[in-house]
Amino acid sequence: MQGRLAIILTVVVVVALLVALNAASYVRVEREAEFEVSPYRSTTNAGPTGTRALYEFLQQSGHEVARWTQPATALADAGTGDTVNATHPTTFVVVGETRAEFTAREAQELLAWVRRGGRLVVIDRRPDAKLLPASGGWRVSSHTFGVPDFNVRADDEREMTSGAPTVRPEQPTALTRDVERVAPSRFAGRLFVQAPTAGPVAVAQTGIGPGTAAPPPRPQTTPTPYAGGDDEAWWEDEEYGEEPPPAATPGLSGPAFIPQDDGADAPPDVESPAPVVHFADGREGRGALVVDYVYGLGRVVVLSDPYIVSNAGIARADNLQLARNVVGPHGRIAFDEYHQGLASARNLTLAYFAGTPVLWMFAQGLVVLLAVVWSASRRFARPLPAPRVDRRSSLEFVSSMAELQQRARAYDLAMENVYSRTRRALARYAGLPAAAPANEIAARVASRSGAIEAGEVERLMRECEDAVGGAPLTPRKALALVANLRDLEGRLGIRMRAREIRQAGRR
């Protein structure tokens, strides 16, 4: 046992030294600056490119928000409209360029959920084409004017907003409520609304049934004004030197999956309404910052600048109110964290302790534990025989003697064994030798206890001595005398010896 105690103490001391050394040598690493060229739009990121401020604001203002850490295919079981599950979202928000791309199957499942009544919010300068389906032939596309350099810090307001004007709402809508001005970044994208093309393509995309007049034909190269505007083109090639965005046709080259409008959820005799432009992008020409449109029974909302909802830009102008309107005024709001790298099946324990000495402490403790296990499993001395354990109880002798005395009716001998131990205990309690007379022991015991009369103690001792000396003794009387002796010991608080306590515990 002493050898094991030394090993245990050694391990504790070594671990304490390792902890002290790690704590003393740890140098806190300052948080690295976040650059706009590689943002992290997660709601768990408190940095300038994150969206944690928006998430916590919505949470504290009474909105029901959640971090969606499952694949988008899980929305197929969420339900929509009147059958929506209370634990599933009614609004699904995708912010920025995600770290993991949406697969074709995920995009299809997500858009199927929107068609059943869900609400999809896409906030990005270059939205994924798989997440912007056509609706009745109408299609929304995006164009970027510039890409942030590698040295553009997301927390530098001057670098992010230099030359970018604030914009006013184009018309009063639910998304522009209580918003006077919005302050986007200079890297905000430009959204275009493309109208249905002429001929059979337009009929296929709009889902117009037989006997219904098709929309008036438009050349595919003719740009389309935004909803509620005039017939002025959204761009001028000669003036701005820009190429118009490609025509939204089924033959468009690009990703393997381009969402098409099959018209399955739209009435056969109703044409899908045109997308609504809520904010222009503020630049020369005709471009949009916020657009939303109907898709099946649901809606798709597109915001072309994630800076507006980021931690660095949400406090500028009325960006917070716009973010609140865009994300959704009611229902359960789910922010896509699965494609930001926070899948529910991933173990985030190590990531939580990254950059701290805790990981090194765990590793060093594991090394010490392995060393202890290895050393404990090896023999460092000659083999010794296993100790023989005496399986006989120490009370077997007492039990045997009691049985013999009972069979022989030697109650006086049993009384002698019990009384002799009690007499010695009373003598020690009285501070007298064991051979002292009974009257002296009784008087000293009564004087010390203060609650027991000397005559009672002396009378009991005399009866026991007479029984030991040969006076007639019946089993009933012997049992009564022993009970009186035990009661006297209890009243005086005379404890048994350690050996007797151990013996009593083994019974």
Side-chain angles (χ1 to χ4, degrees):
M1 183 62 188
Q2 292 181 354
R4 291 187 178 182
L5 179 60
I7 294 175
I8 294 173
L9 292 178
T10 303
V11 171
V12 171
V13 171
V14 170
V15 171
L17 288 175
L18 291 175
V19 172
L21 289 175
N22 279 288
S25 60
Y26 172 65
V27 177
R28 184 176 183 84
V29 180
E30 295 185 359
R31 187 182 184 90
E32 296 182 359
E34 294 187 16
F35 295 93
E36 191 65 20
V37 70
S38 57
Y40 182 38
R41 304 297 185 186
S42 171
T43 59
T44 62
N45 181 20
T49 63
T51 55
R52 184 173 177 178
L54 173 61
Y55 183 87
E56 293 188 352
F57 169 79
L58 294 173
Q59 193 175 45
Q60 295 176 10
S61 59
H63 292 76
E64 191 175 2
V65 293
R67 294 183 172 97
W68 190 263
T69 58
Q70 305 176 50
T73 54
L75 289 171
D77 302 327
T80 50
D82 296 335
T83 61
V84 66
N85 191 323
T87 61
H88 288 79
T90 56
T91 301
F92 191 76
V93 184
V94 182
V95 183
E97 184 178 354
T98 57
R99 297 193 170 186
E101 294 185 0
F102 280 82
T103 64
R105 181 187 175 188
E106 288 178 333
Q108 291 174 348
E109 294 287 346
L110 178 58
L111 295 182
W113 174 77
V114 177
R115 282 199 302 269
R116 295 193 303 271
R119 188 170 183 269
L120 173 62
V121 179
V122 181
I123 305 175
D124 196 5
R125 294 165 185 146
R126 296 182 298 274
D128 192 342
K130 296 190 293 294
L131 304 182
L132 300 182
S135 178
W138 296 94
R139 181 180 292 280
V140 175
S141 61
S142 65
H143 176 71
T144 55
F145 290 88
V147 178
D149 297 331
F150 288 95
N151 58 350
V152 176
R153 293 170 57 108
D155 57 351
D156 191 334
E157 183 177 337
R158 178 174 299 180
E159 279 189 309
M160 291 295 299
T161 61
S162 176
T166 58
V167 296
R168 292 180 178 274
E170 288 292 299
Q171 53 187 321
T173 63
L175 299 188
T176 63
R177 184 179 55 212
D178 299 330
V179 179
E180 294 184 2
R181 285 184 176 274
V182 175
S185 69
R186 62 189 178 98
F187 304 108
R190 168 174 282 186
L191 300 177
F192 297 99
V193 177
Q194 296 170 308
T197 56
V201 175
V203 176
Q205 289 185 339
T206 55
I208 299 176
T212 305
R218 291 178 181 266
Q220 294 188 13
T221 57
T222 302
T224 304
Y226 63 89
D230 52 21
D231 292 333
E232 181 183 353
W234 282 36
W235 62 85
E236 297 291 343
D237 295 345
E238 296 80 9
E239 183 177 356
Y240 303 112
E242 300 174 2
E243 292 293 333
T249 62
L252 179 67
S253 61
F257 167 71
I258 298 295
Q260 300 295 331
D261 178 27
D262 54 9
D265 298 304
D269 56 347
V270 177
E271 183 179 354
S272 297
V276 179
V277 173
H278 303 269
F279 288 88
D281 66 347
R283 302 184 181 95
E284 294 185 68
R286 309 293 291 181
L289 182 69
V290 181
V291 174
D292 85 314
Y293 61 96
V294 175
Y295 183 66
L297 300 178
R299 299 193 72 87
V300 178
V301 183
V302 188
L303 171 61
S304 64
D305 190 11
Y307 176 75
I308 293 176
V309 300
S310 67
N311 298 331
I314 198 170
R316 301 190 68 236
D318 294 328
N319 289 1
L320 176 58
Q321 184 61 39
L322 174 61
R324 183 177 183 178
N325 294 344
V326 167
V327 168
H330 56 79
R332 186 177 178 88
I333 306 168
F335 286 83
D336 179 26
E337 294 292 347
Y338 178 85
H339 294 90
Q340 299 291 355
L342 301 180
S344 57
R346 181 184 173 191
N347 189 352
L348 302 178
T349 304
L350 297 181
Y352 180 80
F353 290 108
T356 68
V358 176
L359 295 180
W360 287 107
M361 292 167 57
F362 284 158
Q364 292 167 354
L366 180 61
V367 171
V368 172
L369 180 62
L370 292 177
V372 172
V373 172
W374 177 80
S375 61
S377 62
R378 297 181 63 87
R379 186 173 65 240
F380 293 97
R382 64 183 180 85
L384 298 176
R388 294 184 59 185
V389 180
D390 189 1
R391 299 182 181 276
R392 294 176 298 177
S393 172
S394 60
L395 293 179
E396 288 185 2
F397 171 76
V398 178
S399 178
S400 301
M401 290 298 296
E403 185 177 359
L404 290 175
Q405 292 172 0
Q406 184 177 9
R407 290 184 178 184
R409 297 184 179 274
Y411 302 120
D412 54 345
L413 182 58
M415 193 67 211
E416 181 180 1
N417 293 333
V418 176
Y419 174 70
S420 60
R421 193 208 69 83
T422 304
R423 196 179 197 281
R424 289 193 300 270
L426 291 174
R428 287 195 302 269
Y429 183 83
L432 297 174
N439 57 347
E440 293 183 10
I441 294 177
R444 294 288 292 273
V445 167
S447 175
R448 181 176 178 182
S449 66
I452 300 177
E453 297 181 358
E456 178 184 356
V457 178
E458 183 178 0
R459 183 169 55 256
L460 179 60
M461 294 180 67
R462 296 295 183 188
E463 291 180 358
C464 293
E465 291 177 355
D466 292 343
V468 172
L473 185 63
T474 61
R476 185 183 299 275
K477 185 175 181 180
L479 185 60
L481 291 176
V482 171
N484 292 334
L485 290 175
R486 297 300 184 219
D487 179 66
L488 179 61
E489 290 177 355
R491 292 162 62 188
L492 295 176
I494 301 175
R495 299 182 179 274
M496 295 185 292
R497 291 173 295 180
R499 178 176 60 82
E500 294 170 343
I501 294 175
R502 291 195 300 271
Q503 291 176 350
R506 295 174 183 175
R507 294 178 181 176

PDB file of all heavy atoms in Angstrom, residues 464-495:
ATOM      1  N   CYS A 464     -24.809 -10.214  40.343  1.00  0.00           N
ATOM      2  CA  CYS A 464     -23.965 -10.888  39.355  1.00  0.00           C
ATOM      3  C   CYS A 464     -22.871 -11.704  40.039  1.00  0.00           C
ATOM      4  O   CYS A 464     -22.565 -12.839  39.623  1.00  0.00           O
ATOM      5  CB  CYS A 464     -23.351  -9.860  38.405  1.00  0.00           C
ATOM      6  SG  CYS A 464     -24.541  -9.035  37.333  1.00  0.00           S
ATOM      7  N   GLU A 465     -22.282 -11.166  41.101  1.00  0.00           N
ATOM      8  CA  GLU A 465     -21.233 -11.893  41.817  1.00  0.00           C
ATOM      9  C   GLU A 465     -21.787 -13.129  42.502  1.00  0.00           C
ATOM     10  O   GLU A 465     -21.128 -14.177  42.540  1.00  0.00           O
ATOM     11  CB  GLU A 465     -20.558 -10.966  42.825  1.00  0.00           C
ATOM     12  CG  GLU A 465     -19.719  -9.875  42.158  1.00  0.00           C
ATOM     13  CD  GLU A 465     -19.126  -8.915  43.172  1.00  0.00           C
ATOM     14  OE1 GLU A 465     -19.454  -9.058  44.378  1.00  0.00           O
ATOM     15  OE2 GLU A 465     -18.357  -8.018  42.771  1.00  0.00           O
ATOM     16  N   ASP A 466     -23.013 -13.038  43.031  1.00  0.00           N
ATOM     17  CA  ASP A 466     -23.646 -14.210  43.643  1.00  0.00           C
ATOM     18  C   ASP A 466     -23.897 -15.286  42.592  1.00  0.00           C
ATOM     19  O   ASP A 466     -23.692 -16.491  42.859  1.00  0.00           O
ATOM     20  CB  ASP A 466     -24.966 -13.806  44.312  1.00  0.00           C
ATOM     21  CG  ASP A 466     -24.732 -12.918  45.534  1.00  0.00           C
ATOM     22  OD1 ASP A 466     -23.575 -12.903  46.021  1.00  0.00           O
ATOM     23  OD2 ASP A 466     -25.677 -12.223  45.948  1.00  0.00           O
ATOM     24  N   ALA A 467     -24.364 -14.851  41.389  1.00  0.00           N
ATOM     25  CA  ALA A 467     -24.612 -15.837  40.341  1.00  0.00           C
ATOM     26  C   ALA A 467     -23.326 -16.512  39.912  1.00  0.00           C
ATOM     27  O   ALA A 467     -23.280 -17.729  39.668  1.00  0.00           O
ATOM     28  CB  ALA A 467     -25.279 -15.164  39.148  1.00  0.00           C
ATOM     29  N   VAL A 468     -22.245 -15.749  39.851  1.00  0.00           N
ATOM     30  CA  VAL A 468     -20.948 -16.324  39.472  1.00  0.00           C
ATOM     31  C   VAL A 468     -20.437 -17.237  40.594  1.00  0.00           C
ATOM     32  O   VAL A 468     -19.800 -18.264  40.352  1.00  0.00           O
ATOM     33  CB  VAL A 468     -19.942 -15.209  39.154  1.00  0.00           C
ATOM     34  CG1 VAL A 468     -18.548 -15.779  38.954  1.00  0.00           C
ATOM     35  CG2 VAL A 468     -20.389 -14.433  37.919  1.00  0.00           C
ATOM     36  N   GLY A 469     -20.758 -16.883  41.853  1.00  0.00           N
ATOM     37  CA  GLY A 469     -20.279 -17.667  42.982  1.00  0.00           C
ATOM     38  C   GLY A 469     -21.018 -18.966  43.211  1.00  0.00           C
ATOM     39  O   GLY A 469     -20.642 -19.734  44.110  1.00  0.00           O
ATOM     40  N   GLY A 470     -22.101 -19.227  42.495  1.00  0.00           N
ATOM     41  CA  GLY A 470     -22.772 -20.512  42.620  1.00  0.00           C
ATOM     42  C   GLY A 470     -24.212 -20.428  43.059  1.00  0.00           C
ATOM     43  O   GLY A 470     -24.843 -21.458  43.309  1.00  0.00           O
ATOM     44  N   ALA A 471     -24.774 -19.234  43.193  1.00  0.00           N
ATOM     45  CA  ALA A 471     -26.185 -19.098  43.568  1.00  0.00           C
ATOM     46  C   ALA A 471     -27.055 -19.664  42.455  1.00  0.00           C
ATOM     47  O   ALA A 471     -26.671 -19.682  41.286  1.00  0.00           O
ATOM     48  CB  ALA A 471     -26.515 -17.636  43.816  1.00  0.00           C
ATOM     49  N   PRO A 472     -28.253 -20.171  42.831  1.00  0.00           N
ATOM     50  CA  PRO A 472     -29.139 -20.726  41.797  1.00  0.00           C
ATOM     51  C   PRO A 472     -29.415 -19.678  40.702  1.00  0.00           C
ATOM     52  O   PRO A 472     -29.725 -18.518  41.005  1.00  0.00           O
ATOM     53  CB  PRO A 472     -30.393 -21.100  42.552  1.00  0.00           C
ATOM     54  CG  PRO A 472     -29.948 -21.261  43.981  1.00  0.00           C
ATOM     55  CD  PRO A 472     -28.837 -20.283  44.188  1.00  0.00           C
ATOM     56  N   LEU A 473     -29.315 -20.105  39.448  1.00  0.00           N
ATOM     57  CA  LEU A 473     -29.456 -19.180  38.314  1.00  0.00           C
ATOM     58  C   LEU A 473     -30.241 -19.866  37.202  1.00  0.00           C
ATOM     59  O   LEU A 473     -29.858 -20.933  36.726  1.00  0.00           O
ATOM     60  CB  LEU A 473     -28.067 -18.766  37.791  1.00  0.00           C
ATOM     61  CG  LEU A 473     -28.047 -17.713  36.682  1.00  0.00           C
ATOM     62  CD1 LEU A 473     -28.630 -16.391  37.178  1.00  0.00           C
ATOM     63  CD2 LEU A 473     -26.611 -17.499  36.184  1.00  0.00           C
ATOM     64  N   THR A 474     -31.360 -19.267  36.877  1.00  0.00           N
ATOM     65  CA  THR A 474     -32.175 -19.796  35.787  1.00  0.00           C
ATOM     66  C   THR A 474     -31.832 -19.042  34.489  1.00  0.00           C
ATOM     67  O   THR A 474     -31.240 -17.944  34.521  1.00  0.00           O
ATOM     68  CB  THR A 474     -33.659 -19.595  36.103  1.00  0.00           C
ATOM     69  OG1 THR A 474     -33.918 -18.182  36.229  1.00  0.00           O
ATOM     70  CG2 THR A 474     -34.030 -20.290  37.404  1.00  0.00           C
ATOM     71  N   PRO A 475     -32.175 -19.608  33.326  1.00  0.00           N
ATOM     72  CA  PRO A 475     -31.908 -18.900  32.047  1.00  0.00           C
ATOM     73  C   PRO A 475     -32.574 -17.531  31.988  1.00  0.00           C
ATOM     74  O   PRO A 475     -31.986 -16.568  31.483  1.00  0.00           O
ATOM     75  CB  PRO A 475     -32.469 -19.855  30.997  1.00  0.00           C
ATOM     76  CG  PRO A 475     -32.451 -21.202  31.637  1.00  0.00           C
ATOM     77  CD  PRO A 475     -32.711 -20.976  33.093  1.00  0.00           C
ATOM     78  N   ARG A 476     -33.797 -17.442  32.542  1.00  0.00           N
ATOM     79  CA  ARG A 476     -34.489 -16.159  32.499  1.00  0.00           C
ATOM     80  C   ARG A 476     -33.766 -15.112  33.336  1.00  0.00           C
ATOM     81  O   ARG A 476     -33.607 -13.959  32.904  1.00  0.00           O
ATOM     82  CB  ARG A 476     -35.920 -16.342  32.975  1.00  0.00           C
ATOM     83  CG  ARG A 476     -36.775 -15.077  32.865  1.00  0.00           C
ATOM     84  CD  ARG A 476     -38.166 -15.342  33.424  1.00  0.00           C
ATOM     85  NE  ARG A 476     -38.838 -16.384  32.687  1.00  0.00           N
ATOM     86  CZ  ARG A 476     -39.530 -16.181  31.565  1.00  0.00           C
ATOM     87  NH1 ARG A 476     -39.619 -14.947  31.079  1.00  0.00           N
ATOM     88  NH2 ARG A 476     -40.132 -17.185  30.956  1.00  0.00           N
ATOM     89  N   LYS A 477     -33.319 -15.527  34.535  1.00  0.00           N
ATOM     90  CA  LYS A 477     -32.632 -14.575  35.407  1.00  0.00           C
ATOM     91  C   LYS A 477     -31.276 -14.198  34.825  1.00  0.00           C
ATOM     92  O   LYS A 477     -30.863 -13.029  34.898  1.00  0.00           O
ATOM     93  CB  LYS A 477     -32.461 -15.184  36.795  1.00  0.00           C
ATOM     94  CG  LYS A 477     -31.861 -14.206  37.798  1.00  0.00           C
ATOM     95  CD  LYS A 477     -31.804 -14.804  39.203  1.00  0.00           C
ATOM     96  CE  LYS A 477     -31.227 -13.794  40.186  1.00  0.00           C
ATOM     97  NZ  LYS A 477     -31.158 -14.333  41.569  1.00  0.00           N
ATOM     98  N   ALA A 478     -30.574 -15.156  34.219  1.00  0.00           N
ATOM     99  CA  ALA A 478     -29.273 -14.840  33.606  1.00  0.00           C
ATOM    100  C   ALA A 478     -29.456 -13.831  32.463  1.00  0.00           C
ATOM    101  O   ALA A 478     -28.680 -12.873  32.319  1.00  0.00           O
ATOM    102  CB  ALA A 478     -28.623 -16.132  33.086  1.00  0.00           C
ATOM    103  N   LEU A 479     -30.503 -14.026  31.680  1.00  0.00           N
ATOM    104  CA  LEU A 479     -30.752 -13.094  30.585  1.00  0.00           C
ATOM    105  C   LEU A 479     -31.111 -11.714  31.113  1.00  0.00           C
ATOM    106  O   LEU A 479     -30.688 -10.685  30.548  1.00  0.00           O
ATOM    107  CB  LEU A 479     -31.881 -13.640  29.706  1.00  0.00           C
ATOM    108  CG  LEU A 479     -32.204 -12.842  28.439  1.00  0.00           C
ATOM    109  CD1 LEU A 479     -30.996 -12.762  27.516  1.00  0.00           C
ATOM    110  CD2 LEU A 479     -33.391 -13.470  27.706  1.00  0.00           C
ATOM    111  N   ALA A 480     -31.860 -11.652  32.205  1.00  0.00           N
ATOM    112  CA  ALA A 480     -32.223 -10.353  32.777  1.00  0.00           C
ATOM    113  C   ALA A 480     -30.999  -9.629  33.316  1.00  0.00           C
ATOM    114  O   ALA A 480     -30.856  -8.410  33.154  1.00  0.00           O
ATOM    115  CB  ALA A 480     -33.257 -10.544  33.881  1.00  0.00           C
ATOM    116  N   LEU A 481     -30.091 -10.392  34.005  1.00  0.00           N
ATOM    117  CA  LEU A 481     -28.868  -9.762  34.518  1.00  0.00           C
ATOM    118  C   LEU A 481     -27.996  -9.215  33.387  1.00  0.00           C
ATOM    119  O   LEU A 481     -27.455  -8.100  33.480  1.00  0.00           O
ATOM    120  CB  LEU A 481     -28.089 -10.772  35.353  1.00  0.00           C
ATOM    121  CG  LEU A 481     -28.737 -11.184  36.687  1.00  0.00           C
ATOM    122  CD1 LEU A 481     -27.900 -12.268  37.367  1.00  0.00           C
ATOM    123  CD2 LEU A 481     -28.866  -9.987  37.625  1.00  0.00           C
ATOM    124  N   VAL A 482     -27.862  -9.982  32.312  1.00  0.00           N
ATOM    125  CA  VAL A 482     -27.046  -9.505  31.176  1.00  0.00           C
ATOM    126  C   VAL A 482     -27.681  -8.256  30.550  1.00  0.00           C
ATOM    127  O   VAL A 482     -26.984  -7.295  30.184  1.00  0.00           O
ATOM    128  CB  VAL A 482     -26.878 -10.628  30.137  1.00  0.00           C
ATOM    129  CG1 VAL A 482     -26.225 -10.104  28.868  1.00  0.00           C
ATOM    130  CG2 VAL A 482     -26.072 -11.763  30.719  1.00  0.00           C
ATOM    131  N   ALA A 483     -29.021  -8.266  30.444  1.00  0.00           N
ATOM    132  CA  ALA A 483     -29.695  -7.096  29.881  1.00  0.00           C
ATOM    133  C   ALA A 483     -29.479  -5.863  30.753  1.00  0.00           C
ATOM    134  O   ALA A 483     -29.271  -4.748  30.243  1.00  0.00           O
ATOM    135  CB  ALA A 483     -31.180  -7.382  29.714  1.00  0.00           C
ATOM    136  N   ASN A 484     -29.512  -6.060  32.113  1.00  0.00           N
ATOM    137  CA  ASN A 484     -29.272  -4.919  33.010  1.00  0.00           C
ATOM    138  C   ASN A 484     -27.845  -4.398  32.871  1.00  0.00           C
ATOM    139  O   ASN A 484     -27.600  -3.187  32.948  1.00  0.00           O
ATOM    140  CB  ASN A 484     -29.569  -5.324  34.445  1.00  0.00           C
ATOM    141  CG  ASN A 484     -31.049  -5.579  34.674  1.00  0.00           C
ATOM    142  OD1 ASN A 484     -31.904  -5.028  33.962  1.00  0.00           O
ATOM    143  ND2 ASN A 484     -31.382  -6.422  35.647  1.00  0.00           N
ATOM    144  N   LEU A 485     -26.884  -5.329  32.718  1.00  0.00           N
ATOM    145  CA  LEU A 485     -25.491  -4.896  32.547  1.00  0.00           C
ATOM    146  C   LEU A 485     -25.322  -4.081  31.258  1.00  0.00           C
ATOM    147  O   LEU A 485     -24.643  -3.051  31.262  1.00  0.00           O
ATOM    148  CB  LEU A 485     -24.571  -6.118  32.526  1.00  0.00           C
ATOM    149  CG  LEU A 485     -24.398  -6.865  33.862  1.00  0.00           C
ATOM    150  CD1 LEU A 485     -23.553  -8.123  33.662  1.00  0.00           C
ATOM    151  CD2 LEU A 485     -23.750  -5.962  34.907  1.00  0.00           C
ATOM    152  N   ARG A 486     -25.948  -4.545  30.165  1.00  0.00           N
ATOM    153  CA  ARG A 486     -25.843  -3.794  28.900  1.00  0.00           C
ATOM    154  C   ARG A 486     -26.524  -2.429  29.001  1.00  0.00           C
ATOM    155  O   ARG A 486     -26.039  -1.431  28.457  1.00  0.00           O
ATOM    156  CB  ARG A 486     -26.490  -4.592  27.762  1.00  0.00           C
ATOM    157  CG  ARG A 486     -25.816  -5.921  27.459  1.00  0.00           C
ATOM    158  CD  ARG A 486     -24.380  -5.722  27.071  1.00  0.00           C
ATOM    159  NE  ARG A 486     -23.743  -6.964  26.684  1.00  0.00           N
ATOM    160  CZ  ARG A 486     -22.508  -7.297  26.978  1.00  0.00           C
ATOM    161  NH1 ARG A 486     -21.781  -6.474  27.747  1.00  0.00           N
ATOM    162  NH2 ARG A 486     -21.990  -8.433  26.571  1.00  0.00           N
ATOM    163  N   ASP A 487     -27.651  -2.395  29.723  1.00  0.00           N
ATOM    164  CA  ASP A 487     -28.335  -1.118  29.897  1.00  0.00           C
ATOM    165  C   ASP A 487     -27.477  -0.146  30.708  1.00  0.00           C
ATOM    166  O   ASP A 487     -27.410   1.052  30.397  1.00  0.00           O
ATOM    167  CB  ASP A 487     -29.681  -1.356  30.577  1.00  0.00           C
ATOM    168  CG  ASP A 487     -30.425  -0.058  30.811  1.00  0.00           C
ATOM    169  OD1 ASP A 487     -30.808   0.579  29.809  1.00  0.00           O
ATOM    170  OD2 ASP A 487     -30.614   0.324  31.977  1.00  0.00           O
ATOM    171  N   LEU A 488     -26.806  -0.659  31.751  1.00  0.00           N
ATOM    172  CA  LEU A 488     -25.922   0.186  32.563  1.00  0.00           C
ATOM    173  C   LEU A 488     -24.769   0.720  31.727  1.00  0.00           C
ATOM    174  O   LEU A 488     -24.394   1.897  31.828  1.00  0.00           O
ATOM    175  CB  LEU A 488     -25.412  -0.613  33.767  1.00  0.00           C
ATOM    176  CG  LEU A 488     -24.453   0.130  34.709  1.00  0.00           C
ATOM    177  CD1 LEU A 488     -25.135   1.355  35.309  1.00  0.00           C
ATOM    178  CD2 LEU A 488     -23.934  -0.813  35.806  1.00  0.00           C
ATOM    179  N   GLU A 489     -24.205  -0.131  30.880  1.00  0.00           N
ATOM    180  CA  GLU A 489     -23.111   0.324  30.013  1.00  0.00           C
ATOM    181  C   GLU A 489     -23.588   1.426  29.063  1.00  0.00           C
ATOM    182  O   GLU A 489     -22.890   2.411  28.818  1.00  0.00           O
ATOM    183  CB  GLU A 489     -22.570  -0.850  29.212  1.00  0.00           C
ATOM    184  CG  GLU A 489     -21.814  -1.869  30.048  1.00  0.00           C
ATOM    185  CD  GLU A 489     -21.355  -3.056  29.213  1.00  0.00           C
ATOM    186  OE1 GLU A 489     -21.727  -3.086  28.007  1.00  0.00           O
ATOM    187  OE2 GLU A 489     -20.652  -3.925  29.729  1.00  0.00           O
ATOM    188  N   GLY A 490     -24.793   1.251  28.536  1.00  0.00           N
ATOM    189  CA  GLY A 490     -25.303   2.262  27.625  1.00  0.00           C
ATOM    190  C   GLY A 490     -25.573   3.574  28.306  1.00  0.00           C
ATOM    191  O   GLY A 490     -25.312   4.655  27.746  1.00  0.00           O
ATOM    192  N   ARG A 491     -26.111   3.526  29.531  1.00  0.00           N
ATOM    193  CA  ARG A 491     -26.395   4.761  30.264  1.00  0.00           C
ATOM    194  C   ARG A 491     -25.131   5.486  30.664  1.00  0.00           C
ATOM    195  O   ARG A 491     -25.086   6.709  30.714  1.00  0.00           O
ATOM    196  CB  ARG A 491     -27.242   4.453  31.483  1.00  0.00           C
ATOM    197  CG  ARG A 491     -28.654   3.994  31.116  1.00  0.00           C
ATOM    198  CD  ARG A 491     -29.321   3.291  32.295  1.00  0.00           C
ATOM    199  NE  ARG A 491     -29.479   4.200  33.437  1.00  0.00           N
ATOM    200  CZ  ARG A 491     -29.892   3.818  34.653  1.00  0.00           C
ATOM    201  NH1 ARG A 491     -30.187   2.517  34.854  1.00  0.00           N
ATOM    202  NH2 ARG A 491     -30.020   4.686  35.623  1.00  0.00           N
ATOM    203  N   LEU A 492     -24.080   4.734  30.953  1.00  0.00           N
ATOM    204  CA  LEU A 492     -22.807   5.353  31.329  1.00  0.00           C
ATOM    205  C   LEU A 492     -21.968   5.731  30.113  1.00  0.00           C
ATOM    206  O   LEU A 492     -20.968   6.455  30.257  1.00  0.00           O
ATOM    207  CB  LEU A 492     -22.008   4.401  32.230  1.00  0.00           C
ATOM    208  CG  LEU A 492     -22.618   4.100  33.591  1.00  0.00           C
ATOM    209  CD1 LEU A 492     -21.770   3.071  34.341  1.00  0.00           C
ATOM    210  CD2 LEU A 492     -22.716   5.385  34.421  1.00  0.00           C
ATOM    211  N   GLY A 493     -22.346   5.255  28.939  1.00  0.00           N
ATOM    212  CA  GLY A 493     -21.568   5.557  27.743  1.00  0.00           C
ATOM    213  C   GLY A 493     -20.250   4.824  27.694  1.00  0.00           C
ATOM    214  O   GLY A 493     -19.278   5.350  27.131  1.00  0.00           O
ATOM    215  N   ILE A 494     -20.213   3.649  28.330  1.00  0.00           N
ATOM    216  CA  ILE A 494     -18.981   2.854  28.309  1.00  0.00           C
ATOM    217  C   ILE A 494     -18.882   2.167  26.954  1.00  0.00           C
ATOM    218  O   ILE A 494     -19.730   1.338  26.604  1.00  0.00           O
ATOM    219  CB  ILE A 494     -18.983   1.809  29.443  1.00  0.00           C
ATOM    220  CG1 ILE A 494     -19.105   2.507  30.796  1.00  0.00           C
ATOM    221  CG2 ILE A 494     -17.733   0.951  29.385  1.00  0.00           C
ATOM    222  CD1 ILE A 494     -19.228   1.546  31.952  1.00  0.00           C
ATOM    223  N   ARG A 495     -17.889   2.524  26.139  1.00  0.00           N
ATOM    224  CA  ARG A 495     -17.716   1.953  24.808  1.00  0.00           C
ATOM    225  C   ARG A 495     -16.955   0.639  24.900  1.00  0.00           C
ATOM    226  O   ARG A 495     -16.103   0.459  25.765  1.00  0.00           O
ATOM    227  CB  ARG A 495     -16.977   2.917  23.894  1.00  0.00           C
ATOM    228  CG  ARG A 495     -17.715   4.242  23.693  1.00  0.00           C
ATOM    229  CD  ARG A 495     -16.953   5.119  22.736  1.00  0.00           C
ATOM    230  NE  ARG A 495     -17.664   6.371  22.525  1.00  0.00           N
ATOM    231  CZ  ARG A 495     -18.621   6.549  21.639  1.00  0.00           C
ATOM    232  NH1 ARG A 495     -18.987   5.517  20.885  1.00  0.00           N
ATOM    233  NH2 ARG A 495     -19.226   7.700  21.506  1.00  0.00           N
TER     234      ARG A 495
END
